[in-house]
Structures are given as C-alpha cells and as structure tokens.
C-alpha cells in the first residue's frame, strides 16, 4: 500500500527517516554493485515520489525548496538512490506543463499509487546531447511507433513507465510514456561507470514500440515561452551534488575522530586535535555550508518566479531562476569533488584502503558532476551579469 504524503513537513520528515535507513548499506551496495531495488520500493511506498503531484489531482504539491531538500538528504545518504528518481520528477513536471487533463489524471494516479518513471533520453554517438535521433512516427493503424537506442537511461531498469524523448517527422520533440514491459522495449543493465555504480544507468532499445496517441506529450511546446523546466531539472542535480559533498564531509569528520592518526609533529593524541586538520576541516565546512545556502536560494527563487500555467512567469523571472540554479550548481560541483578528495588528504594512508570504500564519495561526485559542464553555466552567468543577457531556453539551464 502506497502512502500519500500530505504536505511539505511530512515530506521532509519522511526523507530524513529514509535517508537514515539508506545510509547504513550505501558503501556495501556500491562495493558489491548491489542494485537498490528494495530501497526504491521503500521510496515508492513512502509516498515521496508523488510529492510534486498537484493538489487538484490528489498530491501534496510541495515547494521547490522542499523537493530540493528531499534530494539533498537522500544524496547525502546514498547519491545513487537520489539520482534514480531525478528523471521521475522531471517527467512528472513535463505532464504538469504540457499534459492534457486526461493524461494528468491517469499518470498522476499512477504516481500516487507508487509507480515510478525512468528515462530514455540521452543517445550515444550523436553530435551532441540534444541531437535526438529516436523517431516517433505515425503508425498505419493509428498511434505511433518508436525506434531508437538510448544510453545513460537512469531509472529505466527499475521503472514502471519509461518516458522516451523522440522526434516526430517534423523534428519537433515529444515525450512518449511507455510501459516498462512494452513489446519491443528492452532495458540492458550495462552501466559500468566508475561512480554512481548502482544507478543502473544502462541502455534502452526501442524496436517498433507501439505507443497510443494519448501517451504522447508535445514537449517542444515547453520551450516556446518562459519556462522553468530546465531550472527544475538542474536544481535536483545540484541538490545531489550538494548532498554528496555533505555526506563526504560527515564521513571525513567521523574518520578523523575515530580512526586517523595524528601527524607526529602536531604533538596531539588525536588527529582531530591537530591544528592543521582543524583548519582544513573548517575550510571544507565553510564550502559545504555555502553550497547548501546557494541551493536553498535557488529553490526559493524557483518558488517565487511564477508559473507558466498561470501566465505570470516572465522572461526576466525565468532567467533569474536559471541563473540562481546555475550559480548553485557551478559552485557545488567542484566542492563535491574536493570533499571526495579531502577524505584522503585528512585521513592519511589508511583511508585509501579499498575495504573502507571511502573513495566512493570522490567517484560518485566526479561521475555525477559530468552531467552538465559547469564552465558553460559560468559563461551564462557572466553574460547575465555583464549585459543582462537572458540564458537560452534549451532545458539544461
């Protein structure tokens, strides 16, 4: 039985409880590449996956600030588990923006019942990340046929529905919501990245997959006016990176208190009393707190920006949100990588022992921060600051 969460406070309390559970075996799951199927079932049953469903359809419709904190809490515990539902929430948001009332009633009902959305969007071997070649063509008997191959399909292996980004004959971008067990759809568990090992971000193959017309959403319309789709998606990615940094800091501190030896020149009995360790720990804590503060500011900016459905979102307010989110992510990405490395800097030789698996923090940070290059976010921030130029509406900012 899937619980229905009532409000923001319950969502945060639920996330804190689950984070405590998920943290306990995070290192072992990573070391053994044990996929978190039972944990995702717990996540579904808790009701957390439905917290952005609008109240008109039975959901809690929590704030962006709340969903951001939910992701940060989960990522601090296990960023693999946090990354898997990132696409779930993005494709719930697609339905909020462009779905018909009939589509919303059906799919929001599925989400409230604990069903999970995966994703099939990125493609390998194409010119760039937005070069989508998967085809959605009209079928002779009605509806559509899907053909193509998708890679890095996080969540697809665990999904009940797989939203597929595809282009119609006129090259417009659509999302087809396809059942995980649809004939012609194959999910391959072939993800072998050095980090985020248990996200099962593998391959999805689509061979003449039949899709009814009422399972297709015109995603290209999202980008014809001011939009928050990209900012929302990037905000969740930023929350994962901030969570990784916080989790790494917590484990580094615990290691310094209990296991690491002091450097002999410090004259201290504990590594945690070494003044140079204290200095470095303070510097790292400041960076993590700053990343958390920028994340909060970005979530609050998104909440205050307006809503395309109400017509009160403007180009200026949408741009301000994109810049706030880009700022949070551009700052958080290198901090997460630095914290993953700092465990060894502070912990000494014994911290590198493979059996401790402390290197998972760096591997996870380095892998997840490759999603969208921070250098381009800095470029858009600079143009906005210098010339007031609004960032582009391509969905990745």
């Amino acid at each position: 039985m899937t619980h229905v969460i009532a409000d923001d406070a319950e969502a945060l309390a639920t996330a804190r409880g689950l984070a405590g559970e998920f943290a306990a075996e995070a290192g072992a799951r990573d070391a053994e590449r044990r996929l978190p199927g039972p944990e995702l079932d717990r996540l579904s049953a808790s009701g957390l996956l439905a917290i952005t469903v609008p109240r008109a359809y039975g959901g809690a419709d929590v704030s962006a600030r709340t969903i951001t904190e939910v992701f940060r809490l989960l990522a601090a515990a296990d960023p693999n588990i946090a990354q898997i539902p990132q696409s779930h929430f993005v494709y719930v948001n697609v339905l909020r923006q462009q779905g018909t009332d009939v589509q919303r009633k059906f799919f929001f009902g599925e989400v409230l019942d604990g069903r999970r959305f995966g994703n099939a969007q990125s493609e390998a071997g194409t010119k760039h990340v937005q070069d989508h070649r998967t085809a959605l063509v009209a079928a002779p008997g009605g509806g559509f046929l899907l053909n193509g191959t998708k890679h890095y399909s996080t969540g697809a292996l665990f999904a009940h529905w797989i939203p597929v980004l595809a282009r119609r004959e006129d090259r417009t971008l659509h999302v087809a919501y396809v059942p995980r067990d649809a004939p012609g759809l194959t999910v391959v568990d072939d993800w072998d990245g050095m980090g985020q090992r248990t996200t099962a971000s593998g391959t999805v193959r689509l061979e003449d997959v039949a899709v009814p017309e009422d399972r297709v959403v015109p995603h290209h319309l999202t980008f014809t006016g001011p939009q928050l789709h990209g900012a929302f998606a990037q905000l969740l990615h930023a929350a994962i990176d901030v969570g990784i940094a916080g989790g790494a800091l917590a484990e580094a501190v615990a290691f310094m208190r209990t296991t690491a030896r002091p450097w002999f020149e410090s004259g201290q009995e504990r590594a945690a009393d070494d003044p140079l360790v204290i200095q470095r720990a303070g510097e790292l804590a400041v960076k993590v707190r700053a990343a958390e503060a920028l994340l909060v500011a970005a979530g609050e900016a998104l909440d205050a920006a307006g809503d395309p459905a109400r017509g009160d979102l403007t180009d200026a307010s949408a741009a301000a949100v994109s810049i706030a989110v880009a700022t949070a992510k551009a700052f958080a990405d290198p901090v997460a990588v630095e914290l993953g490395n700092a465990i060894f800097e502070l912990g000494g030789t014994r911290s590198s022992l493979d059996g401790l698996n402390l290197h998972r923090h760096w591997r996870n940070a380095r892998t997840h921060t490759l999603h969208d290059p921070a250098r381009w976010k800095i470029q858009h921030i600079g143009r906005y600051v210098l010339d007031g130029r609004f960032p582009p509406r391509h969905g990745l900012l």
Side-chain angles (χ1 to χ4, degrees):
M1 185 69 178
T2 301
H3 178 68
V4 177
I5 287 175
D7 54 30
D8 293 60
E10 186 181 4
L12 291 170
T14 301
R16 291 188 192 99
L18 287 177
E21 293 180 28
F22 296 161
E25 293 289 316
R29 282 192 298 271
D30 174 272
E32 300 164 13
R33 199 179 179 271
R34 190 193 330 146
L35 300 181
E39 289 77 15
L40 289 174
D41 288 341
R42 284 280 295 118
L43 194 62
S44 288
S46 75
L48 271 182
L49 296 183
I51 58 176
T52 59
V53 170
R55 290 192 177 276
Y57 295 89
D61 199 11
V62 302
S63 66
R65 173 72 187 89
T66 292
I67 187 65
T68 303
E69 179 63 4
V70 166
F71 267 76
R72 189 195 68 79
L73 288 166
L74 294 176
D78 186 339
N80 293 266
I81 291 175
Q83 186 181 336
I84 290 168
Q86 191 269 347
S87 292
H88 170 91
F89 283 99
V90 167
Y91 286 105
V92 168
N93 198 46
V94 168
L95 289 162
R96 288 183 60 134
Q97 301 304 316
Q98 299 300 336
T100 65
D101 184 57
V102 171
Q103 289 172 326
R104 291 171 185 164
K105 284 179 179 176
F106 174 77
F107 281 114
F108 291 161
E110 289 284 282
V111 172
L112 287 164
D113 284 341
R115 307 289 192 275
R116 295 188 291 269
F117 294 161
N119 94 76
Q121 52 188 35
S122 293
E123 300 181 19
T126 56
K127 185 175 181 180
H128 51 69
V129 71
Q130 291 203 321
D131 182 12
H132 299 288
R133 300 181 185 179
T134 296
L136 180 72
V137 300
F144 302 94
L145 291 177
L146 264 176
N147 282 280
T149 301
K150 299 289 190 175
H151 297 267
Y152 316 121
S153 303
T154 303
L157 192 68
F158 308 105
H160 300 93
W161 291 88
I162 300 179
V164 181
L165 273 182
R167 294 197 184 274
R168 291 289 311 277
E169 296 89 337
D170 61 0
R171 303 300 296 159
T172 54
L173 193 63
H174 291 67
V175 177
Y177 289 75
V178 183
R180 166 71 173 80
D181 59 357
L185 187 153
T186 305
V187 181
V188 184
D189 179 20
D190 58 357
W191 169 244
D192 64 350
M194 67 175 181
Q196 297 297 86
R197 289 175 172 176
T198 62
T199 58
S201 302
T203 299
V204 172
R205 298 194 180 100
L206 305 146
E207 299 177 10
D208 286 335
V209 177
V211 184
E213 188 171 346
D214 63 356
R215 297 292 183 262
V216 176
V217 176
H219 190 37
H220 62 101
L221 297 179
T222 301
F223 307 103
T224 58
Q227 53 83 34
L228 299 174
H229 173 80
F232 177 76
Q234 290 294 304
L235 184 64
L236 301 186
H237 278 309
I240 294 169
D241 295 333
V242 175
I244 292 173
L249 178 62
E251 188 142 20
V253 167
F255 193 82
M256 296 307 298
R257 288 173 175 166
T258 63
T259 307
R261 296 187 298 179
W263 184 243
F264 72 95
E265 290 179 283
S266 71
Q268 302 297 322
E269 294 296 318
R270 297 190 317 149
D273 294 325
D274 182 332
L276 298 182
V277 168
I278 292 170
Q279 176 71 22
R280 185 62 175 139
E283 293 169 350
L284 294 169
V286 168
K287 292 185 178 184
V288 172
R289 300 297 174 260
E292 292 172 348
L294 286 171
L295 187 68
V296 169
E300 291 176 345
L302 198 152
D303 283 327
D307 188 337
R310 293 197 307 264
D312 60 351
L313 181 70
T314 66
D315 284 325
S317 62
V321 175
S322 288
I323 294 300
V325 173
T327 300
K329 194 167 189 304
F331 185 84
D333 282 12
V335 170
V337 174
E338 181 178 3
L339 264 294
N341 179 64
I343 290 178
F344 308 106
E345 175 189 342
L346 295 174
T349 304
R350 66 176 63 186
S351 64
S352 68
L353 296 176
D354 198 52
L356 296 174
N357 200 17
L358 296 179
H359 48 71
R360 75 184 188 279
H361 297 288
W362 183 87
R363 289 187 288 99
N364 289 335
R366 184 63 282 176
T367 300
H368 186 262
T369 56
L370 297 176
H371 271 80
D372 310 284
R375 60 187 178 274
W376 272 99
K377 298 184 188 303
I378 295 293
Q379 285 284 310
H380 293 305
I381 293 167
R383 294 187 185 107
Y384 182 80
V385 169
L386 288 171
D387 299 322
R389 191 184 310 179
F390 294 163
R393 297 175 182 162
H394 52 43
L396 295 175
L397 197 70

